[in-house]
Each structure stands twice: as structure tokens, then as C-alpha cells.
């Protein structure tokens, strides 16, 4: 088994991690308001290869965060991943972005709800149990006071939406984890390795990011 290069660009965090046998060896990342992914991504990849003293030809696969998330960020990450896979003739692995985000939190019981900001009160979200098993699929939704109100277990929200979510989600079992903002490539390592062992690969030629943008348009009234 060689190495897997993990790429995460679905949010403001531009993140690249090199892993071997599911364990992260080195991660480079930076979260900026200006979405400098186009400039940072290839620099991070080259720095990781140089600092770990391997060659791109040593890679066994490339994994990329598939979304949902920023349209521009996803396009940049997926394009880079597909380019490497095509040039090196190695498999492409896709990883759900919200699973990556949820994986940063460890709890013994309860529910994890990762959310990615999508403007105003709009979010991308999914629901996971304490084992990071998805128990409600990824959805695009608009938060309101009744969101997730049917859940009685302790709920832990992670992501870059916590500040706005706190203003309307106020049930006593809701907890906002303010130390986890963005998905990171270092959390992709174990997930992508499992997919590698399962031969769960994407078609390099036809794979597209999972954009999921499905909100109702709001018109401005005068």
C-alpha cells in the first residue's frame, strides 16, 4: 500500500493531507475569507510531497471532498484531483464533506449535526450518530426555530454556521461546538483508506462535485 493524497476545498479552508494506511502523515491548510484555493492548493501539494520526501508517482490514489460546499472551491479541488489521477493513472476517491466535518468531533452518545454555511439562514446539513454513521442524508435547508426540534438526544452542532444558528436554535439539548469550523483533509485519511480497500472509486472522466444547491429563490420586494 502506498500513499493517498487527500484534498479538501469545499469551504474557506484549503486543506491537503498525505496519509499512509489511513493515518495522516502531514497536513497543510489555511482558512481565508478570500478563497485563495487556486493559489494555495498546488503549493500545499508540492510542499507536502517535498517535505515527506516522496514523489507524486508514489501515490496510490487521490481523495477529494465531494461536497456540498462552495461551488468555486469544489471545482478547484476536484479539477486538481482529477488531473493528478489522470496523469498518474491512479484511482480517484470521493468523500462526503459533511462526514469529514462531523469526524472532527468525538462523543460517546448523542447526535452530531455538521452544517456548512450557504448564505443568510441557508445551510447544508446531515445528521450523524456518535459512531459517525449518517442517520439522515445530506440536505439543503433554511434554518428556522423548528429545525431539528424533533430530536430529543443531546445534539452537537459543528461548522461555520454556529453563530447564526445560535440566534434561532435554542432547545436545551442543543450544544454548539465552537472549536470545529471547517472540514479538514486530515480527517479524510481514515475514510479514504477504507474506500481504497473497498475499491470504491470514481470515474475520473465523469465525476462531478455534489453541489446540492436547491434553495427557493427569494425575491426582493419594494
Amino acid at each position: 500500500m502506498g500513499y493517498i493524497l487527500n484534498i479538501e476545498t469545499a469551504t474557506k479552508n484549503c486543506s491537503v493531507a498525505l496519509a499512509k494506511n489511513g493515518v495522516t502523515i502531514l497536513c497543510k491548510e489555511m482558512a481565508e475569507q478570500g478563497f485563495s484555493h487556486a493559489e494555495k492548493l498546488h503549493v500545499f501539494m508540492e510542499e507536502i510531497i517535498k517535505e515527506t520526501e516522496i514523489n507524486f508517482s508514489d501515490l496510490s490514489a487521490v481523495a477529494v471532498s465531494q461536497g456540498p460546499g462552495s461551488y468555486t472551491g469544489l471545482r478547484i479541488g476536484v479539477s486538481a484531483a482529477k488531473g493528478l489521477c489522470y496523469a498518474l493513472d491512479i484511482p480517484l476517491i470521493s468523500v462526503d464533506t459533511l462526514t469529514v466535518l462531523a469526524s472532527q468531533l468525538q462523543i460517546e452518545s448523542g447526535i452530531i449535526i455538521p452544517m456548512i454555511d450557504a448564505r443568510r439562514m441557508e445551510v447544508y446539513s446531515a445528521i450523524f450518530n456518535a459512531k459517525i454513521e449518517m442517520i439522515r442524508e445530506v440536505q439543503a435547508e433554511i434554518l428556522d426555530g423548528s429545525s431539528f426540534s424533533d430530536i430529543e438526544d443531546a445534539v452537537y452542532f459543528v461548522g461555520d454556521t454556529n453563530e447564526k444558528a445560535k440566534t434561532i436554535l435554542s432547545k436545551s439539548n442543543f450544544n454548539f461546538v465552537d472549536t470545529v469550523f471547517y472540514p479538514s483533509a486530515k480527517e479524510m485519511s481514515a475514510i479514504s483508506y477504507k474506500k481504497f480497500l473497498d475499491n470504491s472509486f470514481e470515474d475520473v472522466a465523469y465525476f462531478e462535485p455534489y453541489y446540492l444547491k436547491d434553495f427557493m429563490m427569494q425575491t426582493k420586494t419594494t
Side-chain angles (χ1 to χ4, degrees), residues 113 136 141-151 157 165 167-171 174:
I113 301 181
R136 196 217 70 189
E141 57 192 308
I142 299 175
L143 295 179
D144 59 36
S146 65
S147 297
F148 315 113
S149 61
D150 59 325
I151 302 176
F157 293 99
T167 64
I168 57 172
L169 302 181
S170 57
K171 280 190 66 181
F174 288 173

Side-chain angles (χ1 to χ4, degrees), residues 8-10 36-37 52 63 72 181 192 218:
E8 164 56 68
T9 57
S36 58
H37 297 13
T52 55
T72 301
F181 294 101
S192 61
Q218 297 181 359

Side-chain angles (χ1 to χ4, degrees), residues 38-56:
E39 295 80 21
K40 297 295 184 183
L41 179 58
H42 291 280
V43 172
F44 287 164
M45 289 193 296
E46 291 173 1
E47 288 179 347
I48 283 177
I49 295 299
K50 181 178 180 180
E51 291 178 27
T52 55
E53 298 183 337
I54 70 167
N55 299 309
F56 280 103

